[in-house]
Amino acid sequence: MLFLLLLFYFTQCFQNTVLVWLPCLYLWVCGPIYLIYLHSHNHGYICMSHLNKAKTAVGLLLWIICWSDVFYSFWERSHGSSVLAPVHLVSPTLLGLTMLLAALLVQYERMKGVRSSGVMLIYWLLALLCATVTFRSRILQVLDQTLTVSVWRYTTFYCYYTLLLVALFLSSLTDQPPLFSQAVKDPNPCPELGASFLSRISFWWITRIMVEGYKCPLEEKDLWSLNPEDCSQRVVPQLVHRWKAECQKVIRSEQKTLYSPKTAQHSECKNAQAVESEILIVKTPLKTKEPSLFLALCLTFGPYFLVSCFYKIIQDILMFVGPEILRLLIDFVINSSAPTWHGYFYTALLFSCTSVQSLILQKYFHVCFVSGMRLRTAIIGAVYRKALVISSTARRTSTVGEMVNLMSVDAQRFMDLITYINMIWSAPLQVVLALYFLWQNLGPSVLAGVAVMVLMVPVNAVIAMKTKTYQVAQMKSKDTRIKLMNEMLNGIKVLKLYAWELAFKDKVSEIRESELRVLKKAAYLGAVSTFTWVCAPFLVALSTFTVYILINKNNVLDAQKAFVSLALFNILRFPLNMLPMVISSMVQASVSLRRLRVFLSHEELQEDSVEHQAAAALHSVSIVNGFFSWSRTEPPTLKRLNVCIPEGSLVAVVGHVGSGKSSLLSALLGEMDKLEGTVAVKGSVAYVPQQAWIQNSTLRDNIMFGQERREAWYQLVVEACALQPDLEILPAGDKTEIGEKGVNLSGGQKQRVSLARAVYCERAVYLLDDPLSAVDAHVGKHIFDQVIGPQGLLKDKTRVLVTNGFNYLPQVDLILVMSQGEVTEMGSYQQLMATEGAFSEFLRTYTAVDYTGNNGMAHYKLSQQNVIILFHCLFSNPGPCVRNLSKLSQPNKEGQNVRLKTENPEVGKLMEADKANVGRVQLSVFWAYLKAVGFFLSCISLLLFLTHHLLSLFSNYWLSLWTDDPVVNGTQPDRLMRLGVYSGLGLSQGVAVFGYSLSVSIGGILASRVLHQSMLYDILRSPMSFFERTPSGNLVNRFAKEMDTIDSVIPSIIKMFIGSMFNVLGACVVILIATPLVAIIIPFLGLLYFFVQRFYVASSRQLKRLESVSRSPIYSHFNETLLGTSVIRAFGEQARFIYESDRRVDHNQKAYYPGIVANRWLAVRLEFVGNCIVSFAALFAVIARESLSPGIMGLSISYALQLTASLTWLVRMSSDIETNIVAVERVKEYTDTEKEAEWKHKCPPIPPRWPTNGCIDIRGFGLRYRHDLDLAIRNMTIKINGGEKVGIVGRTGAGKSSLTLGLFRIIEGAEGHIFIDGVDIAQLGLHDLRSRITIIPQDPVLFSGSLRMNLDPFDNYDDDDVWRALELSHLKTFVSGLPDGLSHECSEGGENLSVGQRQLLCLARALLRKTKILVLDEATAAVDPETDKLIQSTIRSQFEDCTVLTIAHRLNTIMDYNRVLVLDRGEIAEFDTPSHLITKRGAFHSMAKDAGLV
């Protein structure tokens, strides 16, 4: 109302012209733009509702009233004597046309689905405000001049005014949803879509979820669906389309400059170098233009983001209203003759401007955060899509760790930047405006301040350049660390069996230390940077004041000049502080941008490398003169291939280890670079890889692989693939969840599920990479007969079978014999035997080994034998492995339970999803972080913070005293003394700032080191059951995203939180000293502030937890996809996997979006509290102006103006601390999980060379997988003498693997003891035990790094020993032929070696360790019979005096062993020499008969 007091002075002419035309001008200017916007943004069609009818009716009534005024003017003109002014015709006419436009806009909005219009609400508000001035004038006129009043005009005006009120009320309501709206179908739509304009600008629409979150912790079901325009389906394709357009532009420009068009033939962005994306830059002879990812991002997200620029300009202008009002208020205090209402008016104006500024600022931030969210969605989607199509060469340079970092850390960098990117132009604008107003206040003296700012620019530039260098180095270390962690988690079982945890822990720690060294350098740099940021505004002020008082002794620094300047300097502080931060963020984002561009520019698989022929083609598969390589820079892996396979035939591919069998299938799939020739495949393809790829999903989903459920066919496939017995054993049948990489399935089961998937999908061509090597003999025969063979389910399909088992060869149509990447022989079995070539000679040599009798099955694979032991323990929760044999002793009961289990899928749950904690973060979490920082350092930091703010407070108080100094003869006598003290106080602040910045950053690094080391140690100490239950994505997320938060985010948030807290306390103290009356209001506002903050944090904290929990599945799915890209591509299932990835990202953003809106909700309400404090400070200053000095009042108001921002920042930082400290909570949560026994025991000491004999004495041993389950092994009592060779055999599920797990204490024994050379292994440290015995495991696991590191990670042996081990494992020729020899880099997971070569490397490890006890766990599954024989002879010669336990898969390999242990249902069935066992005609005789050995 005070605003209206001023409007009383507007003249009648002004009221009839400007106040009428202003709203009209607004609508006619905005109308066309708004119409264009509506035309291009159709949200649907809203049916005519009562609300819409009312809006239209009001608009038309207003139009009628305006036109009635026009007609009345004409009538008056024709009947009256006096000449009417033209304004009485022009204004109603213009107003009438505007009202008609308003009514039409209301209808057009309805047709375009707009439920609440901001444009119209602002118009009605503006029209009402302007009419209110006229309304008041008319009332006064009626009271003063009753006789001159025109009854008609007054009546129409009052009707007009009433209808404006009605129109404003109606426009603040929301219309019904459009027809066919997504919100109608959605069970939990985002309320933003249906919110009114007022609700949107005040973020009132989120209040419901905030109330729910305050009452009880939020859960996933409480979250709304994403808005359609924020979903991956809409966002990602836009970026991908723009990026492809940029790539095409580059290709076209390159083709114009090339003489030969052949040079640029494949991949979108061939010339982008496949390099380590952090530092390495490959110099090319000709500089090629790179596609611009930045331009693609701008074109995709720029239009929406430009809205934020509009908001920012308005907010920047409003920011300078505060100092101007402060100047007027100081004038008001100094000028005692000024009317009191001026003071009240200035106070009301201050409150109005700051409130509007708050609303606009929050709207600006909202647009920025939504843009950042969309950007992250687009980046994750683009990286995922690219990962599905990059070539094998590119896969070598972009590791899983790097790709995960692109998705997590780099995408986050973009999100952080986009919030502040506008400061690049906004900061200079604010600086220019501030300098303009300073010039008005202090004149040319301000140039001194400008000079200081210019000098700061090179300092900030140097800091930014160094920051970029450190950023690149840190990201490189981070990528390497995550890559190594990923490999360790994938190969954790091998680490435990070999007792290599400490070696790999040291490797991770070494990388981490290099990362922390870079962080420490960045911390020093950050401290210097903070020092310059804080000192810059002060130095600008100091230099300006110094020059001002020195250039002329009559220049007096009074309160108005000092505090208006100080308010402007405070405004100047923000852009000067932010600009270096923005530059730093831009530097970080530019590093991320380049990494992302390099990745997205990687070479892709050739789409045309395999021609998919029409149905009329003669051959099902054909290769003509084919040359293939895994990289174009390497010599061809496959050479001179000419193969034609008729439709419906069964083709076997045989050859030695590394001869190119698997590569041939990869060539047919298009996974290799085709250098020459043609490849054609007729029809769709199914692929069964050598190492089965299993998804973390139910068994049914793994088999169906996204296809429709056809029950009859499904049952047929399950039975043919010998999976029916497994389904009966699994806790929930085919609804049982399978863990990551199939951890709860045996090798044979995994392979059969993989085969069942291919069969179920019914494709024309089947590429089978040795699927029978991982199954028992009788199962292998069943599968060949029922699925692959001439009478199997696939008899009419084309089948290419890679195999090392020659027993199936007589039944195939065609055999390809491969050697060194070439097909050396080709023909039917009979033809090849008749040609007397290498194949027939080889077959005759080894047929006695591998092919005898009718069954001819000698592939007797260990892992399949694990199937029958129940998975009950693992699924019911924390059991380490899968099998619980004892249930088999009650077959009837088990049989009754099968159906019951199948009907309850919950029984089959295995993986433990990341769970969000609820309620407040425990104080113990904060205490853990504080302990990690160090108590002493924490106290020092706090003391320095306090010192800085006390100095700051005192320096400003000193300035107020200076301004109150009396003026003597036109000058202030003590001005030089005042100036000296003021500058000394400022420089002391700088020193304190440097100190606290450094101490907090160093403390953060110390905490990071402690927390990372503690988590790494805790995870490595966890038992195998922990890794089988916990998705690797959860653990990778801890080491990637959560550690990044602890490294970078938490220290800076702590700094800002403490700074904001002291700023708020300082401001309150100053305001209370200046105007004690504020003490009445501050407690009330403080309570309101506290309530709003607690109300907000309850929901914000939980939303952060939900967001953090839903982030892990994105990375888990991505990891899983990367392991199975060849399978996904072969089946053509890319679209389904992309959809699943998008769904998980959207699910994550569902928790993130309410979090950012909640921030805005909080800021609007807190800024309102702050604005109230400012207004009350000004109001009480106006009331007490007689007793206030101008200096104290200036100090009070200038602090009050800062208070709003400080208060908002304080709450934001306090909530950020609580939400980000969740990272510490999640890192620490593995401290309390179950741990293995100690790695080392000091007492009792064991002899240095133990075991010396290798004697194993097992006495009454039994083990169970969980304390509440029956024994999986029972009553095991045997003695194995030193040097004995013992074969361990048994039908599926007999407990062979359980025995080895017990021997290595992967599972601790439940009863009895195992003695090795008289020492009870239960009394030993795990490393003492595991490092003294050796196993060659079933899965050959390698780690990225040199071959030497893979053989000897501790560097215990010299090169001669290593070469000797390689020679004995038949790898010396291969390794010596490599360019780098022992330094040859193995790719991630050893993917650049064949499975057989990896298995031989595992043998080399065992030969190098050469312990007295060796366990072979199906160690020769992936090698051909010739290599198998060589391995067996090596083991017999090299381990002649050692105890060897072999879990047999080919029974012929153990026929010459000393004794054979036959297990059945976890107990000893037979234990004797092979010859005696065969004579006894027991269980062993039966198995030998199955294998064709008797």
Side-chain angles (χ1 to χ4, degrees), residues 1289 1461-1471 1477 1480 1483-1484:
V1289 297
L1461 171 63
V1462 183
L1463 296 178
D1464 183 31
R1465 300 186 179 185
E1467 297 185 271
I1468 301 170
E1470 298 173 338
F1471 185 41
L1477 291 177
K1480 283 171 66 176
F1484 184 72

Side-chain angles (χ1 to χ4, degrees), residues 775-779 859-869 885 1287-1297 1299 1418 1446-1451 1454 1460-1470 1477 1483-1488 1490:
V775 296
D776 287 345
H778 64 285
V779 177
H859 280 261
Y860 199 73
K861 182 82 172 167
L862 155 78
S863 51
Q864 168 57 19
Q865 297 168 5
N866 301 329
V867 62
I868 292 181
I869 305 181
L885 175 71
I1288 303 173
V1289 297
R1291 294 286 184 186
T1292 298
K1296 304 180 299 298
S1297 286
L1299 182 58
E1418 304 181 34
T1446 300
I1447 296 175
H1449 66 293
R1450 292 171 176 165
L1451 288 188
I1454 59 160
V1460 172
L1461 171 63
V1462 183
L1463 296 178
D1464 183 31
R1465 300 186 179 185
E1467 297 185 271
I1468 301 170
E1470 298 173 338
L1477 291 177
F1484 184 72
H1485 176 270
S1486 171
M1487 283 186 276
D1490 275 349

Side-chain angles (χ1 to χ4, degrees), residues 194 284 332 354 439 490 660 692 744 903 941 1004 1038:
T284 51
F332 169 74
T354 49
W439 185 285
N490 287 342
N744 50 326
E903 288 169 4
S941 304
R1038 299 294 193 281

